[in-house]
Amino acid sequence: MKIPSILLLAALLLPGGAPAQSPKKPQAAAGLLFPPEALIKAQAELGLSDSQTAAIRGAAEAALPEFREKQRVAEERAQALRAALQAEPPDESVARSSLAALLDAERAVKELEFSVLFAARMTLSAEQRTKARALASRAAPATAETSGEAEQRVGAKLQRLQTLIEQLERDGRPPREHEAKVLQLRELVRVRDVAAAEKLIDELLEALGPQKSGANLPPARLDQRHFTRVLAKALAEENLEAVRAAAGAAREALGAAAGEPEVPDEFRPVPTDGRMLTRAEAQRGFAAHFDRLEKMRWWKVGVDPATLSAPLRAPASVITGQVAAFRAQLDGAERGLAMAREAADFLMWAQQEAGSGVFPFPAARGTSEARAMQAATAFLKKAEQAGQLDRVVRRGWAFEDLGDGGLQFDNGECGVAMFELYEVTKDPRHLASARQAADWALARPLCTNWNYNSFSVHLLAKAHAVTGDAKYLTAALHKARLGVIPGQLTDGPQAGRWMDAHNARPAYHYIMLRALTQLAAVLPPTHAERAEILRALSLGLKTRNAEILTRGVMNKDKAMEALLLVSRVFAQDAEILRATQSSDALRAIGVLVSEEARRGRVPLGPGEWGQFLESIAD
């Protein structure tokens, strides 16, 4: 697992850090009232009766579960803010929204602290409250000064420890044998146990000091880059057992961090009084967005790719949504199909310009702060520095990813959209274009990013569904078994998620489930490997669907798309839908986006919105 950031721990420990007090030790203003635990300790001086003591203790203990949950949320918000500030470049809107969420979470913690303190205060008589104020006033000055000095001293030690750990990680020798102590330190900081935290920091500084930092680490604890290289070799050899072994070793090295996303999930509550859109609302729901789509339409044949600020997945989403609207004959369906044809003309032009069958990526640099465009900028810079730019760019389009696998994303999205468009237009140009993308995906090597491989699985399974060509089914199954499923956790608290932090994110989770669902849809019921696909799919659906129903919606677009596909593919298999809670999770997301739409928001991307409206109108 990744060593937790000590700087974050310092931010929590030093004055002004995120709220981390224990429910049994809430902060109280000097001279106002002792915290509940202090009141109990001062029982004799205050003259508390047994019933008063029991009431104070009961109020604190009753609030403990809720306090821990609110505290957990506050910590997640602090991590999200930290991630937003560390993004390159930082996104001000994301950082500000993260800050607002953190402040809301802090306020919730403080409100609960207040409730516990007030409940304790109400158990005291006027005379006892006077004594409590006097005791608090006497204790406050010395305590505040001592605490401040200790926090400053421990904060400085934390920073030294952070520097030492970062140096070890840069050297490729992260101190993974001390993970447990670092996690213990995090808990001590959380409850502001300064004395115990300082003792543990001293132990870690001693253990990781310069004289010991060069010690050899066991092979199982090597840097994750080592496991990536081993996995890449196994994938290149297409050796399933070696892939599984590499994934198992990586999982062991991740430890408790396996399945934890790189950015903490943010759960949107589903309105308890919300309701799904009606058929009438769905019928007119897509036409309302035509003007917005017209204004954002940048996909024009002949455009300079270097000026683009979005990838081809954007017009592909428009095609998918408009095709869905056409199938359901929503208001404006014919106009929408014309828009889809125009977007397809652009995609086919870009595909032809790239010249390799792939739906390419615009070779634009610094035109957008969107994550995909920033990743492309970094890739192009790296290729240029290696003298390989001519190998990856043609006519302004990136057509080769040098084994990175990133081109599978847009190629998969565009290829599936073109197959869907062909199904309603029967235009042979659309079919030919989609098959070129599928043939490119079929021949591509597997990469170490599980979700990248899943885009090709989805496309190839769709290609088989439309064409009936067995080669696509064979390739889709092969890529799923080697390049997607081995990364999934099959046991432990995060079973069903993918083990690495990137693919543990909910959007990628449902992208991979979408691919497995499309594959399950085309595999014959008696196929020898179908049970393996269904096991992975069911496990993945169960874990995230349960969270949607108990905690809220952590992803709308890709979860919506995947669950709509699940509901269609398994429409006659009520047991799978029940066991995985897919129908309930789909309805929860549907209610959320329905209410957002009623408030004038655009709740989903064009593709997912069209598919959602189609599901209601059918």
Side-chain angles (χ1 to χ4, degrees):
M1 67 177 287
K2 180 176 175 61
I3 296 292
S5 171
I6 303 301
L7 287 180
L8 175 58
L9 301 183
L12 292 172
L13 182 63
L14 294 174
Q21 298 86 1
S22 164
K24 296 183 179 180
K25 299 179 182 179
Q27 298 294 314
L32 177 64
L33 181 72
F34 276 6
E37 186 176 272
L39 286 173
I40 294 171
K41 288 182 178 179
Q43 180 179 6
E45 292 184 72
L46 296 176
L48 299 181
S49 66
D50 290 342
S51 62
Q52 285 178 309
T53 303
I56 294 170
R57 180 180 287 112
E61 292 179 351
L64 185 58
E66 183 180 0
F67 195 101
R68 284 175 174 164
E69 175 60 19
K70 291 182 183 296
Q71 185 181 63
R72 182 193 62 75
V73 171
E75 290 174 350
E76 286 184 351
R77 298 296 184 264
Q79 291 172 7
L81 176 58
R82 176 173 173 266
L85 292 172
Q86 289 184 340
E88 186 56 44
D91 187 319
E92 183 177 359
S93 63
V94 173
R96 286 188 178 278
S97 63
S98 298
L99 175 61
L102 173 58
L103 293 176
D104 287 343
E106 289 180 343
R107 182 166 57 251
V109 172
K110 293 299 182 184
E111 286 175 351
L112 185 56
E113 283 183 351
F114 169 78
S115 297
V116 174
L117 288 170
F118 193 80
R121 183 179 188 277
M122 292 304 293
T123 65
L124 304 180
S125 67
E127 182 180 357
Q128 289 170 329
R129 287 195 292 272
T130 299
K131 290 181 179 179
R133 284 195 296 271
L135 288 172
S137 296
R138 291 199 301 269
T143 301
E145 182 180 3
T146 302
S147 174
E149 292 174 351
E151 287 177 345
Q152 291 292 340
R153 182 181 65 256
V154 176
K157 290 184 178 182
L158 275 170
Q159 291 179 0
R160 290 202 300 274
L161 181 59
Q162 170 73 9
T163 300
L164 182 56
I165 289 177
E166 287 178 345
Q167 182 60 54
L168 290 169
E169 289 177 336
R170 283 194 296 271
D171 293 342
R173 294 177 284 105
R176 307 224 179 260
E177 72 272 28
H178 296 290
E179 287 171 354
K181 285 189 175 182
V182 173
L183 291 173
Q184 182 185 357
L185 174 59
R186 184 171 195 163
E187 176 63 17
L188 292 173
V189 170
R190 185 184 67 80
V191 299
R192 292 182 183 267
D193 191 337
V194 177
E198 183 173 19
K199 180 179 178 181
L200 190 53
I201 292 168
D202 289 340
E203 292 178 8
L204 286 167
L205 286 171
E206 171 65 21
L208 301 176
Q211 70 278 15
K212 299 181 176 68
S213 62
N216 293 327
L217 298 178
R221 296 298 185 181
L222 290 175
D223 179 8
Q224 282 299 308
R225 288 170 294 183
H226 165 77
F227 295 105
T228 300
R229 289 192 294 269
V230 173
L231 176 60
K233 182 175 184 294
L235 288 169
E237 296 171 351
E238 299 189 350
N239 184 328
L240 180 57
E241 292 307 314
V243 170
R244 288 172 174 168
R251 185 226 170 124
E252 181 182 352
L254 285 168
E260 289 293 337
E262 59 192 353
V263 177
D265 295 337
E266 290 192 21
F267 296 91
R268 298 177 178 89
V270 178
T272 55
D273 57 348
R275 56 189 176 85
M276 296 280 279
L277 293 177
T278 65
R279 284 194 175 189
E281 288 175 312
Q283 186 65 35
R284 58 179 182 269
F286 210 83
H289 297 291
F290 277 131
D291 290 343
R292 180 179 65 86
L293 292 176
E294 285 289 357
K295 290 178 181 177
M296 66 178 282
R297 186 167 67 90
W298 50 263
W299 43 90
K300 300 177 182 178
V301 173
V303 69
D304 181 0
T307 66
L308 298 181
S309 58
L312 300 192
R313 68 194 69 165
S317 179
V318 171
I319 293 173
T320 296
Q322 300 292 6
V323 167
F326 183 82
R327 288 193 299 253
Q329 285 300 290
L330 303 181
D331 289 355
E334 291 294 340
R335 180 184 177 189
L337 188 59
M339 183 179 288
R341 287 179 179 273
E342 290 180 0
D345 287 343
F346 169 77
L347 291 184
M348 291 187 291
W349 168 75
Q351 184 183 40
Q352 184 178 10
E353 288 288 287
S356 64
V358 69
F359 284 104
F361 203 98
R365 304 195 202 189
T367 57
S368 170
E369 293 186 1
R371 179 170 182 157
M373 301 306 293
Q374 290 292 311
T377 297
F379 171 77
L380 292 170
K381 181 179 179 180
K382 183 177 180 181
E384 185 175 37
Q385 291 173 341
Q388 296 181 314
L389 197 60
D390 290 343
R391 287 186 56 198
V392 301
V393 176
R394 180 181 294 137
R395 296 178 181 173
W397 295 99
F399 70 96
E400 173 58 56
D401 58 25
L402 301 177
D404 169 82
L407 284 178
Q408 294 183 86
F409 193 132
D410 286 85
N411 187 69
E413 296 288 88
C414 295
V416 170
M418 294 299 288
F419 273 124
E420 291 174 339
L421 182 60
Y422 167 73
E423 288 178 304
V424 299
T425 66
K426 301 305 178 184
D427 187 330
R429 297 180 307 134
H430 298 155
L431 177 61
S433 174
R435 291 198 69 148
Q436 286 181 51
D439 290 339
W440 180 89
L442 186 151
R444 295 306 289 178
L446 292 164
C447 70
T448 57
N449 187 330
W450 311 108
N451 85 75
Y452 281 171
N453 296 327
S454 79
F455 284 99
S456 290
V457 172
H458 184 203
L459 172 57
L460 292 165
K462 181 66 176 180
H464 175 73
V466 174
T467 68
D469 194 327
K471 71 179 182 181
Y472 295 130
L473 177 58
T474 300
L477 182 60
H478 180 72
K479 288 178 181 292
R481 296 187 70 220
L482 271 82
V484 179
I485 294 176
Q488 187 183 39
L489 297 169
T490 57
D491 54 26
Q494 306 291 12
R497 293 188 183 188
W498 270 258
M499 66 177 68
D500 63 288
H502 183 64
N503 285 292
R505 298 181 70 162
Y508 300 130
H509 182 92
Y510 279 105
I511 281 171
M512 289 182 282
L513 296 185
R514 178 188 65 177
L516 295 179
T517 303
Q518 184 65 66
L519 179 56
V522 295
L523 278 174
T526 57
H527 196 286
E529 273 79 42
R530 192 168 191 270
E532 178 186 354
I533 303 303
L534 289 180
R535 277 195 301 271
L537 173 60
S538 296
L539 190 60
L541 287 169
K542 287 177 182 178
T543 183
R544 282 299 194 175
N545 288 351
E547 289 181 285
I548 289 174
L549 296 173
T550 57
R551 303 183 65 184
V553 178
M554 79 294 285
N555 176 266
K556 294 185 298 181
D557 289 83
K558 292 309 176 184
M560 171 68 78
E561 185 179 15
L563 293 176
L564 283 171
L565 183 59
V566 168
S567 70
R568 293 196 299 273
V569 171
F570 298 101
Q572 305 304 316
D573 195 334
E575 177 55 25
I576 284 185
L577 297 179
R578 183 201 62 78
T580 61
Q581 298 183 289
S582 291
S583 297
D584 293 336
L586 177 58
R587 178 170 180 78
I589 303 172
V591 168
L592 175 62
V593 301
S594 294
E595 292 300 325
E596 289 180 348
R598 289 192 180 100
R599 294 197 297 271
R601 297 182 60 185
V602 180
L604 295 167
E608 294 83 5
W609 181 237
Q611 292 172 332
F612 174 56
L613 296 178
E614 178 189 23
S615 71
I616 298 173
D618 281 350

